[in-house]
Amino acid sequence: MIDEEKGAVFFQYARYFLHGTVSPTPQGMRFIRKAQDILRSRDELLCEMRDQLEEMGTELSIGVPAVTGGYLLPPLLKAFLKKHPNVQVQLTEDSPAALEKMTENGTVDLSILPLPIENDRLAIRPILTEPLFLAIPNERENWMTGQLRKLMDSVRPNAEKIPLALKTAEDVPFILLKEGYGFRRIVLDLCAEEGFQPKVTFKTSSIETAQSLVEHGMGVTVVPRMVMRQGSDRIVYVPLQSDPSRTLVFAYPETCYLSRAARAFMETAKKNQTSMYEEV
């Protein structure tokens, strides 16, 4: 048995090795893995005991990519906090890759992430699936191919109703998200399915920045419906013939205890899915 004082020292050193910059030996790595399991079990037990004593936990930490969170979370949080006003919600914004690690390690209770999820130690629960569109400048640009110019001239102002093959964007400047963003992989996979690699001229960590570049005639990009700039007269959103989509999910540690607050938050999303999506 480890007494309270020795236990505190143990956990202090374990956390240091887990999150510090020291390069451990193989024996040290074994210690770290064991310590990580102990720390996780300890945190889960404390959370579970607190849940048994309280009707609802008082804290909930959620990880979310910045842009997705800005569109999806406000109506969802409003509905959740209306029913559970005493829960303090902490938001962490980061890239999907970073959030997967935070979720696995318990830094956040759960995260809202786009599929695919790379970490097989995370369980998922679907939130919604939405279509993807090709975003094109509404004005002619010198870089536009003859096919794209002809298409734009012939379908404007009904471009948003006529599906387009993504391969039409094969030879034009393409704006893509940076490494570490799940949506980047979705777009690259779509291009690969149509037999081409996009000519990437700009990489960004923000879909909002990507759309601004499109509005200023710098290229094209693919966006989910959620982030479309409704009412913009400088950008056209064209549906794609392959009818692609992306799915957002809740991700949480598969083998860890999930707090009542986290479960209640996911149930809120399920019950408010339709109205939530209409607001974003």
Side-chain angles (χ1 to χ4, degrees), residues 207-224:
I207 292 182
E208 289 297 333
T209 300
Q211 291 189 96
S212 293
L213 290 169
V214 173
E215 284 187 327
H216 286 81
M218 306 303 292
V220 304
T221 194
V222 174
V223 300

Side-chain angles (χ1 to χ4, degrees), residues 93-122:
E93 294 182 334
D94 214 317
S95 69
L99 290 172
E100 284 189 27
K101 294 180 181 178
M102 293 182 193
T103 307
E104 180 189 358
N105 293 333
T107 305
V108 295
D109 295 315
L110 52 80
S111 288
I112 297 175
L113 296 171
L115 292 180
I117 301 294
E118 301 291 346
N119 193 323
D120 59 7
R121 300 183 68 179
L122 297 180

Side-chain angles (χ1 to χ4, degrees), residues 18-254:
L18 284 170
H19 304 291
T21 58
V22 176
S23 297
T25 63
Q27 292 81 4
M29 281 301 301
R30 184 172 182 274
F31 169 81
I32 289 174
R33 287 194 293 268
K34 290 291 185 180
Q36 191 170 32
D37 291 339
I38 293 172
L39 289 170
R40 184 180 293 114
S41 296
R42 174 179 178 270
D43 291 343
E44 290 175 20
L45 180 59
L46 290 174
C47 183
E48 187 173 358
M49 291 176 65
R50 185 169 60 248
D51 265 5
Q52 296 299 324
L53 295 173
E54 302 174 5
E55 181 179 352
M56 177 66 63
T58 57
E59 295 182 356
L60 174 62
S61 56
I62 304 171
V64 65
V67 174
T68 299
Y71 285 87
L72 184 64
L73 275 180
L76 180 53
L77 285 173
K78 181 179 180 180
F80 175 76
L81 293 175
K82 183 177 181 180
K83 187 173 182 180
H84 307 288
N86 295 325
V87 177
Q88 298 293 318
V89 179
Q90 301 291 330
L91 300 180
T92 298
E93 294 182 334
D94 214 317
S95 69
L99 290 172
E100 284 189 27
K101 294 180 181 178
M102 293 182 193
T103 307
E104 180 189 358
N105 293 333
T107 305
V108 295
D109 295 315
L110 52 80
S111 288
I112 297 175
L113 296 171
L115 292 180
I117 301 294
E118 301 291 346
N119 193 323
D120 59 7
R121 300 183 68 179
L122 297 180
I124 61 173
R125 181 183 294 189
I127 302 174
L128 58 84
T129 297
E130 60 178 342
L132 306 181
F133 294 80
L134 183 66
I136 304 173
N138 198 28
E139 299 294 333
R140 274 190 171 213
E141 301 293 339
N142 293 333
W143 49 260
M144 287 185 175
T145 61
Q147 182 182 7
L148 190 56
R149 289 185 182 184
K150 182 178 179 180
L151 174 77
M152 293 299 295
D153 289 342
S154 63
V155 302
R156 192 187 293 132
N158 298 312
E160 296 181 3
K161 300 178 181 179
I162 302 176
L164 174 69
L166 182 58
K167 194 173 178 64
T168 305
E170 179 177 10
D171 297 316
V172 302
F174 209 101
I175 302 159
L176 195 65
L177 291 184
K178 294 179 179 179
E179 294 284 353
Y181 290 82
F183 192 67
R184 170 192 173 93
R185 176 175 169 182
I186 292 174
V187 175
L188 289 176
D189 286 347
L190 289 175
C191 294
E193 289 173 5
E194 299 211 13
F196 76 98
Q197 289 186 339
K199 295 184 176 180
V200 181
T201 53
F202 294 99
K203 298 178 184 179
T204 176
S205 58
S206 167
I207 292 182
E208 289 297 333
T209 300
Q211 291 189 96
S212 293
L213 290 169
V214 173
E215 284 187 327
H216 286 81
M218 306 303 292
V220 304
T221 194
V222 174
V223 300
R225 184 173 73 179
M226 182 182 299
V227 305
M228 287 170 48
R229 294 183 173 180
Q230 303 292 347
S232 173
D233 58 357
R234 300 170 62 185
I235 190 169
V236 177
Y237 297 99
V238 184
L240 295 165
Q241 290 179 358
S242 58
D243 196 25
S245 63
R246 76 154 179 176
T247 298
L248 293 177
V249 301
F250 286 115
Y252 50 93
E254 187 173 27

